[in-house]
Amino acid sequence: MNPFYIIWDFILRTKIISLAIIIIIGLFLIKIITNTTKRFIINGKDQFETKRRNTIVKLINNIIKYFIYILMIIFILNSYGVDTKSIIASLGVAGVILGFALQSTVEDFVSGIAIIMDNYFVVGDIVTYNNFTGEVIEMGLKSTKIRKANGEVYIIANRNINSIVNLSQHHAGIIIKIPTAYEEDTEKVEKVIGEIIENAKKIPGVLKDSKYLGIDSLEDSAINYTILINCKQDNQWQIKRDVLRLIKIAYDNANIKIPYSQIEVHNGKKL
């Protein structure tokens, strides 16, 4: 017997072609629909609206994927002669049972939709949950992932998110106290601080309303001059480091002293 005929007969009997066609069509539909949703609703009027829409797109795409996967399974079973009508009819009873078994999963799903619709946070926002601060990197049907600056990832079930602080919906205000020696001339110091603020405004993410607030306190060994740096939440920590560097360089160039603790050691005379 011809080997080609044997192989072809095996393919027909096992319905590999129909199986492959169903899978290819399903995956093609997922790709087309997900790309279409991104193209139509990914852009918003500002960065917050864009991030919100991006989160909604990801959630919609996940729902579409699961729906098409279910359809693919039904068509595959049909191609093998399985009576899917009775299966679908029995889903009503099974749905009630699954509703109780998967109650927590359903709660996660509903909570995830509520979070997006109420705009609690979206992918890309900086949030604080249980003293864990980081960026929302993924929001699925069941859980939300938050990544800390050091790379740690916190995975939270959506149903457990009942209280969270969103740091990205408003700009950050960084208060920096600059300790300065008492012997330095106040007008000179304030002039240098003004230059520091102008240079800080050139840092990407720093807002133009950043300003010098004045003398905050008179400590034992230093005067604390205070500045306010308004900036975007996403990179506030790096901005603070950059501004501190500007302060150190400016003080060094102007020969203004920043007090620090010193220990004097005296050698006593030998008896």
Side-chain angles (χ1 to χ4, degrees):
M1 185 177 291
N2 191 333
F4 177 78
Y5 175 78
I6 295 174
I7 295 172
W8 181 251
D9 181 63
F10 173 77
I11 291 173
L12 291 178
R13 282 188 293 105
T14 55
K15 302 183 184 298
I16 292 178
I17 293 178
S18 59
L19 178 64
I21 291 174
I22 292 170
I23 293 174
I24 291 171
I25 292 176
L27 296 177
F28 179 75
L29 284 174
I30 290 173
K31 186 175 182 59
I32 291 296
I33 294 173
T34 53
N35 287 341
T36 302
T37 55
K38 288 180 182 179
R39 187 179 298 113
F40 277 101
I41 62 175
I42 201 65
N43 295 320
K45 59 183 179 181
D46 52 40
Q47 62 171 335
F48 301 113
E49 181 66 20
T50 298
K51 289 194 294 184
R52 182 171 183 267
R53 291 188 178 192
N54 184 49
T55 304
I56 294 173
V57 165
K58 288 184 178 181
L59 185 60
I60 291 174
N61 286 344
N62 282 333
I63 295 173
I64 291 172
K65 286 179 185 178
Y66 288 127
F67 180 73
I68 293 179
Y69 287 151
I70 292 172
L71 289 181
M72 288 168 60
I73 292 172
I74 291 174
F75 284 126
I76 290 171
L77 291 175
N78 266 330
S79 67
Y80 282 92
V82 178
D83 184 10
T84 55
K85 291 182 180 179
S86 59
I87 295 176
I88 294 173
S90 64
L91 284 179
V93 178
V96 176
I97 299 173
L98 285 173
F100 288 104
L102 302 177
Q103 185 174 0
S104 60
T105 302
V106 174
E107 288 179 7
D108 288 333
F109 177 73
V110 174
S111 297
I113 294 177
I115 288 169
I116 296 173
M117 293 300 102
D118 292 338
N119 200 24
Y120 289 171
F121 58 82
V122 293
V123 173
D125 279 356
I126 304 297
V127 299
T128 297
Y129 179 80
N130 286 350
N131 296 321
F132 188 96
T133 299
E135 178 187 358
V136 178
I137 59 172
E138 184 179 324
M139 187 173 178
L141 297 176
K142 185 171 177 59
S143 63
T144 295
K145 294 181 181 179
I146 303 173
R147 182 174 58 204
K148 210 172 184 179
N150 62 5
E152 295 179 6
V153 176
Y154 196 170
I155 303 174
I156 319 166
N158 288 335
R159 67 181 182 278
N160 293 330
I161 303 176
N162 50 21
S163 178
I164 197 165
V165 179
N166 190 330
L167 302 175
S168 292
Q169 293 190 353
H170 300 284
H171 294 302
I174 305 173
I175 300 291
I176 299 178
K177 296 181 180 180
I178 310 172
T180 307
Y182 271 96
E183 58 265 28
E184 302 295 345
D185 181 73
T186 300
E187 291 184 358
K188 175 185 176 182
V189 172
E190 291 181 335
K191 180 180 178 182
V192 172
I193 290 176
E195 294 172 357
I196 291 170
I197 293 174
E198 291 306 313
N199 288 328
K201 292 177 181 179
K202 299 176 183 177
I203 299 174
V206 175
L207 304 180
K208 300 302 181 183
D209 58 349
S210 300
K211 58 186 177 180
Y212 167 59
L213 297 179
I215 296 175
D216 181 75
S217 61
L218 302 175
E219 303 294 339
D220 292 337
S221 59
I223 299 175
N224 283 327
Y225 295 84
T226 307
I227 63 175
L228 170 65
I229 302 296
N230 289 317
C231 63
K232 295 180 179 179
Q233 291 278 3
D234 296 357
N235 54 352
Q236 59 174 304
W237 297 281
Q238 183 58 48
I239 286 174
K240 182 177 180 179
R241 291 190 285 267
D242 292 341
V243 173
L244 290 174
R245 184 174 184 275
L246 288 178
I247 293 170
K248 181 63 170 64
I249 292 173
Y251 267 42
D252 287 346
N253 291 337
N255 293 318
I256 298 176
K257 295 180 181 179
I258 299 176
Y260 59 93
S261 300
Q262 302 182 58
I263 299 176
E264 292 186 5
V265 179
H266 300 277
N267 292 321
K269 294 181 180 180
K270 293 183 178 179
L271 297 175

